[in-house]
Amino acid sequence: MKLYSTNNKDLRVSFKEAVFNSMPQDKGLYMPVEIPQLDAAFVENIEQYSLPEIAYQVASALLKDEIPADDLKALIEDAINFEAPAVKLDDKTFVLELFHGPSLAFKDFGARFMSRVMAYFLKDGEQLLDVLVATSGDTGGAVALGFLGVPNTRVTILYPEGKVSPIQELQLTTNGQNIRAIEVKGTFDDCQALVKQAFADADLNNKFRLTSANSINISRLIPQTFYYFNTYAQLKKQGLSDVVFSVPSGNFGNIGAGLLAYKLGLPVKQFIAATNVNDTVPRFLETGNYETKPSTQTYSNAMDVGAPSNWVRIMDLFNQDVDALKKVVTAYRFTDEETLAGIKAIDHKFNYVACPHTAIAYLAVEKYRNENPADESAAVFLSTAHACKFPDIFPEEIAAKIEIPEQVTDLESKPKQADQLGVDFEGFKAYLLKG
Ligand SMILES: *Cc1c(COP(=O)(O)O)cnc(C)c1O
């Protein structure tokens, strides 16, 4: 697979280069030059395959020239070692649970696959790869747990003191091995500024092989296509083949992967992009004007994004043709008040506890059905995180129903390990140089 930049279609880089750089110099995003069509017989008989088998078929269509078959199979089995069940709520409504990985969020798919792809490309004897990440919560946990124990890599995570949730802090600080956590006496922006400065620092770049493992890395997008195919397989097994997906969206990586799956040959009737009041994309589809704005804090805080970084990828997949895009993508926004009402409605109707991001995707299904009564497709809304990660949002009687998964109870018995640093760059640099 060769890749170009969305800012320069003449550029050609290898997959390996795109993985280690995350982003082209021109600040575009890497996209595959060619999007292959999956074998029609495979899609036709997809219900006969397991998640790892489906993942291999999809990954291999893109990466067969980069990673030999046996290595790719082993890499996938190691990375995608948890389930992604489409749980049936009623005859035509399903919730796709993407939170069964170690960090209890769908970002595990991307982070675990990326870490193993990076480790694969680090040949024996190559310099240790140093991953630097600033996090406000969720991304850091997925990256830390994704790289945990991966050979020839080391992760340094900076998080703002007192500003991540208790579960998130456990995920960041109880790992040991090749993961270091730094509790910064400052804000997320301070953490991000420190990491940015480190990437620009000549001394650090001479001594270390630094990478950002950024969320826009192409190796995080590819594994997110797997569960769209796998869901289609699960529905097809039940005799359902018309499907719409509702995706709670912030940076639009998740729905971007869904649209990549569509372009690879997955038959999907409609994608619904569900946002909170950070509604740059719904406004764009309504007005034709793409206007970013500063983000607003909401209950669904992993979607508090005013300038969705993957949107250029989606426009690129549709060759900038907004009319073609609008035939496949509908977008709706919901307020915090509506989100809370959505959480209560899902609990009431299905006795199911959904996290605030998931509730927004559910509300979008309801709205889509109201506006499109003739469409009898099955609807799948993606559950991007386990409800236990957002304990403060729920009314007491719903919170009481949340079961704490073993991933969390395991962590609670482990000691917190974090180094404390201030916001000055010299202190952070000295810390890194010590090794
Ligand atoms: C990151 C995240 C999202 C948003 O996903 P994007 O790919 O950025 O659109 C939604 N829900 C949860 C829980 C997340 O962590």
Side-chain angles (χ1 to χ4, degrees):
M1 176 169 83
K2 289 274 180 284
L3 300 106
Y4 59 69
S5 164
T6 51
N7 283 345
N8 176 8
K9 292 210 169 187
D10 296 327
L11 184 77
R12 291 291 178 273
V13 305
S14 68
F15 178 60
K16 179 177 176 180
E17 195 177 335
V19 168
F20 285 118
N21 288 352
S22 275
M23 206 182 228
Q25 296 274 312
D26 62 22
K27 301 270 160 59
L29 294 185
Y30 289 119
M31 284 297 277
V33 173
E34 269 174 62
I35 297 179
Q37 277 293 298
L38 287 183
D39 183 29
F42 163 70
V43 178
E44 196 56 39
N45 298 304
I46 196 164
E47 68 275 16
Q48 298 168 14
Y49 294 84
S50 69
L51 172 57
E53 287 167 347
I54 290 171
Y56 171 72
Q57 290 291 334
V58 177
S60 150
L62 290 161
L63 301 177
K64 61 174 179 293
D65 296 337
E66 321 284 331
I67 305 178
D70 288 345
D71 292 329
L72 187 58
K73 266 184 200 155
L75 191 159
I76 286 169
E77 271 168 26
D78 189 27
I80 316 297
N81 62 348
F82 49 91
E83 303 287 314
V87 175
K88 190 170 191 165
L89 297 178
D90 67 26
D91 281 354
K92 290 255 169 107
T93 312
F94 295 78
V95 54
L96 175 58
E97 295 185 342
L98 299 174
F99 52 70
H100 294 286
S103 85
L104 306 171
F106 85 98
K107 291 191 172 71
D108 286 328
F109 284 87
R112 288 179 68 83
F113 188 81
M114 172 176 63
S115 64
R116 280 147 185 85
V117 166
M118 285 182 170
Y120 174 80
F121 283 130
L122 291 167
K123 295 282 180 285
D124 287 346
E126 273 194 38
Q127 192 185 358
L128 177 89
L129 182 72
D130 258 297
V131 182
L132 302 184
V133 203
T135 186
S136 55
D138 258 9
T139 306
V143 171
L145 291 157
F147 276 91
L148 182 62
V150 173
N152 221 5
T153 67
R154 173 171 63 181
V155 179
T156 307
I157 294 189
L158 289 80
Y159 72 96
E161 178 185 27
K163 294 196 180 67
V164 301
S165 79
I167 287 180
Q168 287 170 337
E169 186 163 24
L170 281 173
Q171 290 176 344
L172 297 173
T173 60
T174 56
N175 296 298
Q177 296 187 54
N178 57 333
I179 314 294
R180 303 186 285 192
I182 303 179
E183 188 172 18
V184 175
K185 291 191 189 316
T187 62
F188 168 63
D189 290 340
D190 294 323
C191 296
Q192 207 163 26
L194 288 172
V195 167
K196 273 203 178 138
Q197 259 181 294
F199 283 121
D201 187 273
D203 297 333
L204 291 174
N205 280 290
N206 281 333
K207 183 152 183 208
F208 302 112
R209 178 175 188 172
L210 300 176
T211 187
S212 69
N214 197 300
S215 66
I216 46 80
N217 197 294
I218 188 74
S219 66
R220 287 176 66 156
L221 204 66
I222 292 168
Q224 293 179 26
T225 62
F226 302 162
Y227 48 74
Y228 288 94
F229 284 96
N230 187 55
T231 302
Y232 181 70
Q234 291 179 63
L235 265 58
K236 208 153 171 282
K237 230 178 248 173
Q238 303 178 44
L240 300 165
S241 53
D242 286 339
V243 51
V244 306
F245 282 104
S246 176
V247 188
S249 297
N251 269 318
F252 282 71
N254 198 356
I255 195 170
L259 291 163
L260 177 58
Y262 173 74
K263 294 282 178 181
L264 284 161
L266 181 71
V268 178
K269 281 275 284 252
Q270 190 74 205
F271 287 90
I272 310 168
T275 75
N276 57 33
V277 293
N278 296 286
D279 62 349
T280 300
V281 168
R283 274 186 294 116
F284 170 62
L285 295 184
E286 279 156 24
T287 66
N289 296 324
Y290 191 78
E291 277 180 291
T292 61
K293 58 180 187 187
S295 66
T296 304
Q297 201 180 340
T298 72
Y299 291 158
S300 47
N301 58 17
M303 314 195 314
D304 293 348
V305 180
S309 51
N310 279 293
W311 186 250
V312 293
R313 279 199 163 119
I314 293 173
M315 292 301 289
D316 193 80
L317 277 175
F318 286 83
N319 293 319
Q320 318 299 323
D321 181 345
V322 181
D323 291 325
L325 175 74
K326 278 164 103 171
K327 290 202 177 91
V328 188
V329 181
T330 308
Y332 302 122
R333 79 180 66 71
F334 299 93
T335 64
D336 273 353
E337 211 182 344
E338 290 168 316
T339 305
L340 199 53
I343 288 172
K344 289 178 183 165
I346 301 167
D347 173 57
H348 185 71
K349 217 168 155 184
F350 307 115
N351 193 26
Y352 186 90
V353 185
C355 94
H357 312 79
T358 307
I360 286 182
Y362 170 74
L363 289 167
V365 167
E366 296 274 274
K367 185 154 182 173
Y368 176 81
R369 282 178 168 158
N370 282 336
E371 290 186 359
N372 302 275
D375 186 346
E376 295 188 344
S377 303
V380 179
F381 60 101
L382 275 57
S383 179
T384 43
H386 194 287
C388 75
K389 297 187 93 174
F390 312 92
D392 303 337
I393 309 289
F394 298 92
E396 228 169 272
E397 66 279 12
I398 298 181
K401 296 185 189 176
I402 300 175
E403 286 169 24
I404 306 297
E406 65 180 25
Q407 288 97 319
V408 176
T409 43
D410 284 354
L411 295 183
E412 278 166 345
S413 60
K414 294 185 184 165
K416 169 175 165 178
Q417 309 174 48
D419 297 310
Q420 272 84 28
L421 284 182
V423 298
D424 64 298
F425 178 66
E426 288 313 313
F428 178 48
K429 181 170 169 178
Y431 174 94
L432 290 175
L433 286 172
K434 261 193 340 228

